[in-house]
Amino acid sequence: MLNFGFVNQKNFSLLTDLYELTMAQIYFDKGINDVAVFEFFVRDTENRNYFLNAGLEQVLYYISNIRFEKEEIEYLRTTGKFSDEFLKYLKDFKFTGNLYAMEEGEIFFPYEPVVVVEAPLIQAQILETFIINTMQISILIATKALRCYSVAKDKLLVEFGLRRAHGTDAGMKAARNSFIGGFAGTSNVLAGKEFNIPIFGTMAHSFIMAHNSEKEAFLNFAFKYKENTIFLVDTYDTIQGVKNAVEVAKYLNLKTFKGIRLDSGDIITLSKEARKILDENGYKDATIFVSGSMNEYKIKEFLDNNAPIDGFGVGTELVVSSDLPYLDCAYKLVEYAKKPKIKLSPQKITLPAKKQVYRIIKEGIIQKDIITLFDEKLEEANPLLKPFIINGELVEKNYPSLNQIKEKSLNNFKTLPEELKDIYKKYEFLPEISKSLKDIMEKLKKEVS
Amino acid sequence: MLNFGFVNQKNFSLLTDLYELTMAQIYFDKGINDVAVFEFFVRDTENRNYFLNAGLEQVLYYISNIRFEKEEIEYLRTTGKFSDEFLKYLKDFKFTGNLYAMEEGEIFFPYEPVVVVEAPLIQAQILETFIINTMQISILIATKALRCYSVAKDKLLVEFGLRRAHGTDAGMKAARNSFIGGFAGTSNVLAGKEFNIPIFGTMAHSFIMAHNSEKEAFLNFAFKYKENTIFLVDTYDTIQGVKNAVEVAKYLNLKTFKGIRLDSGDIITLSKEARKILDENGYKDATIFVSGSMNEYKIKEFLDNNAPIDGFGVGTELVVSSDLPYLDCAYKLVEYAKKPKIKLSPQKITLPAKKQVYRIIKEGIIQKDIITLFDEKLEEANPLLKPFIINGELVEKNYPSLNQIKEKSLNNFKTLPEELKDIYKKYEFLPEISKSLKDIMEKLKKEVS
């Protein structure tokens, strides 16, 4: 029998680290189950000046739907690590706490709480692994996508990375979160269906090679897809490929066609030559689409060199976030039974207490963020953490569409101070800490040491 | 309404790039559907001397079960890109071809075909994206795991990376394929259930912080888990943490306990001091387990410095394969209608024709691999590509267990030439090309140019 190992709504309660459940067993035994506050945040990193929040919808879905089903409970029983009473508790498990978070499409900075979970300790603890698993990859991709958008300006960006994503779910999250980050769509058909986002495609080298000639391949494709055709021109000789595309378009009497795709070679030179050939033959509306190891640096380089490129297919380096394949992020206990908590492990100090983040915007530009105690009020500033789940219930039944989230992302992008948009240079933009929060930190450090 | 975007057996037919389906539409229209041969292979890379094959079971599962269900067909219809006749063809789609592959747990080298699909062109084409999506991440993780195993020797290795894996499926594949690569198990409970592999866990810093003191936290945990307890000792002061663990174990009259976990600080010094404290207090069997940004380089450094470490929890860097987050891999058309095919795009030349790989082993050590035409026979050499699907049917109903695959991996690891096991230095070990294959390549290059 073959085994795939699908993750689904029925079994995702077990997609967690064992210690979440063994710790929960102890909390259950000892009645240690007062209200705890955990915060998900990201530490500073060398090659990102900002992050784009994404992935919250999947976190809310998980928290709203997590149940321990019979088969999963029976598996836990076989491990011999859990008491019957605790397994019965899991059978009835349901999240009853609160979740505050920044909206998807919000820009955020290091050390700011992005998701805040406030619930009886056992509940808040059990969610840890899944929340990090969801948020990290979503933020990585949304942020990388927004960096591409920041240099591509009005050019078309399409996510092409499904094959190089880390498995099936990563492929879905790549499509969803690059869309949020400013992409027009994806090549991933299932993402198109499930997330209702535009899908794009051209043709592969194998398509050319399966025909007797490039010209024949172009003819067959354009005969069916007409003006919607994008010809892949680099299988044998790129410039000849462009000429073949033009010849086929003329033969079929196409007034225009979608364009050509360059996937290798000296893109700046080739795109200029291709543009000339297309224009000279009356195909001024045919676009030039570029793919192959694309990233924000190449997009910028090509456009800075006036390469007449209309769109980019960005794959591998986007979907694995190749220059930053993981975030230094955490989900930390900051308060238990109303008492603020601090961790002092070397290089891993956390900000204690349930917190809020305020943003001060002047003339449309972010001036600074201030991390405060949750109940502090700041005049003339907007709180970024909003309630999404209160007492286990979703505050809003309707979640924003991905189009709405994307609009928010791109509007928020405009509020970034100009130097932070630099894709090469690191500018540290850290939130301020309010005086009340600082006082608590100092007090706790003294108590612990 | 919240949307997760799960991938499952019903919808995974659409987890593909749009162009696979639009090209298929043309092939269908034009009757271009002779037998094609596609090969999945990996190009050379700077920081790997060998690769460990993994992921085949999921590929076989996909190919055996891919169907286009009604809802998926209806979605395709809404795109306006497909004819009714073609959609009817998809409705009845079933793989009827052959698949040859190296077994999971086989060691392989750059440019060697690892999976060979031989089927009517439309079928073979449609599988492309999913095959790469599955194989790449599985190989990345299995290979990185085997590198850890190669330096950890007899130490316990546990996969701890679920939270930093790129989504849910990546978390499952991390657990499965690191097990194949020599790990003893995972912290991922669902992977334990679905793949029947051992699960491991200790306790988190939040567990300590939720108690009034570290000692109280240790006491509560050890009271329940007794000899199975691993104390996390670095929340406040590591050495004091070790002393607290010992004190609690004595208080509970534990003859021994599983051990302590170090997650930060100067591991070499701390592990030596900790070992001394444990030994002096009669806990010689208590082990020292280390975690926190582990990778093969750190494991080697610690052990080379005689750090008395018994096991490692390897997370983030393993599960995202941080020093090689993607493979330069491809699934290329090498033969169509019995004619070998070649692609000449710059830097992306492919080996044409349906091929076999032979391995010559002497005195238990790999001497060389030779890529030949599929039907060539080589004396005294073992063919690595074996039939897994013939005429759409699985050759073997029983797939090897993960334990069997791991055993194969570790036996194959012993056949590696010693210099290839170096984790720092690149040694190129490329397969030879047989004369018959070379002749065909030269002939094709002349024809195309």
Side-chain angles (χ1 to χ4, degrees), chain A residues 1-9 11-12 14-20 22-23 25-27 29-30 32 38 57-58 60-61 71-72 75-76 81 121 125 128-129 132-133 136-137 162-170 172 187-190 192-195 199-207 209-211 220-221 223-225 234-236 264 316 320 322 325-327 329 333 336 341-346 394 397 399 448, chain B residues 1-9 11-12 14-20 22-23 25-27 29-30 32 38 57-58 60-61 71-72 75 81 121 125 128-129 132-133 136-137 162-170 172 187-190 192-195 199-207 209-211 220-221 223-225 234-236 264 316 320 322 325-327 329 333 336 341-346 394 397 399 448:
Chain A
M1 281 290 292
L2 296 167
N3 185 15
F4 192 90
F6 287 111
V7 178
N8 53 47
Q9 186 171 325
N11 68 18
F12 69 5
L14 292 195
L15 194 71
T16 188
D17 292 307
L18 176 60
Y19 76 3
E20 311 288 11
T22 51
M23 291 189 292
Q25 167 77 65
I26 307 296
Y27 294 149
D29 283 352
K30 301 289 174 182
I32 303 174
F38 282 80
E57 182 174 9
Q58 279 71 32
L60 296 175
Y61 185 100
E71 187 181 315
E72 283 62 41
Y75 170 73
L76 292 179
K81 292 180 193 295
L121 178 59
Q125 183 71 59
E128 174 177 37
T129 306
I132 301 176
N133 176 278
Q136 177 195 245
I137 184 60
L162 172 56
R163 61 189 61 192
R164 298 284 179 82
H166 287 184
T168 59
D169 186 48
M172 297 297 282
S187 63
N188 178 344
V189 182
L190 186 59
K193 174 177 179 288
E194 298 295 324
F195 296 128
I199 52 176
F200 291 81
T202 63
M203 60 182 67
H205 294 108
S206 64
F207 182 79
M209 291 159 69
H211 287 80
N220 279 344
F221 201 94
F223 181 80
K224 163 76 183 168
Y225 290 110
D234 75 332
T235 306
Y236 304 115
S264 59
T316 307
V320 306
S322 58
Y326 60 89
L327 289 172
C329 59
L333 180 71
Y336 180 64
K341 293 283 173 177
I342 197 163
K343 178 188 163 200
L344 293 179
S345 304
L394 287 168
K397 291 290 167 209
Y399 198 79
V448 171
Chain B
M1 282 290 292
L2 296 168
N3 185 17
F4 192 90
F6 287 111
V7 179
N8 53 47
Q9 186 171 324
N11 69 18
F12 69 5
L14 292 194
L15 194 71
T16 188
D17 291 308
L18 176 60
Y19 77 2
E20 311 287 11
T22 51
M23 291 190 291
Q25 167 76 65
I26 307 297
Y27 294 148
D29 283 352
K30 300 291 173 180
I32 303 173
F38 282 80
E57 182 173 10
Q58 279 71 33
L60 297 174
Y61 186 100
E71 187 180 314
E72 283 63 40
Y75 170 72
K81 292 180 192 297
L121 178 58
Q125 182 71 60
E128 174 177 35
T129 307
I132 301 176
N133 176 278
Q136 178 195 250
I137 184 60
L162 172 57
R163 63 188 61 192
R164 298 283 179 83
H166 287 184
T168 59
D169 186 48
M172 296 298 281
S187 63
N188 177 344
V189 182
L190 187 59
K193 172 176 180 289
E194 298 294 325
F195 297 128
I199 52 175
F200 292 80
T202 63
M203 60 181 68
H205 295 108
S206 63
F207 183 79
M209 290 157 70
H211 287 80
N220 279 344
F221 201 94
F223 182 80
K224 163 76 183 167
Y225 289 110
D234 74 331
T235 306
Y236 304 113
S264 60
T316 307
V320 306
S322 59
Y326 61 89
L327 289 172
C329 60
L333 180 70
Y336 180 63
K341 294 282 174 178
I342 197 162
K343 179 187 163 198
L344 293 178
S345 303
L394 287 169
K397 292 289 168 208
Y399 197 80
V448 170

Side-chain angles (χ1 to χ4, degrees), chain A residues 32 47 63 87 111 159-160 182 194 214-215 238 315 317 339 354 393 405-406 444:
Chain A
I32 303 174
N47 57 1
I63 294 178
L87 293 176
Y111 309 107
E159 184 270 305
F160 265 15
E194 298 295 324
E214 185 177 76
K215 235 183 273 184
T238 302
E317 300 206 25
K339 290 192 201 100
K354 182 181 175 191
E393 298 295 326
I405 295 172
K406 181 201 280 200
L444 281 173

Side-chain angles (χ1 to χ4, degrees), chain A residues 296-310:
Chain A
E296 63 270 44
Y297 308 104
K298 285 189 190 155
I299 293 171
K300 183 164 166 54
E301 182 201 338
F302 294 161
L303 296 178
D304 283 353
N305 280 282
N306 300 309
I309 298 168
D310 304 286

Side-chain angles (χ1 to χ4, degrees), chain A residues 166, chain B residues 137 141 144 159-166 170-171 174-175 178 314-322:
Chain A
H166 287 184
Chain B
I137 184 60
I141 288 172
K144 184 90 172 163
E159 184 271 305
F160 264 15
L162 172 57
R163 63 188 61 192
R164 298 283 179 83
H166 287 184
S178 59
V314 190
T316 307
E317 299 206 26
L318 168 67
V319 303
V320 306
S321 186
S322 59

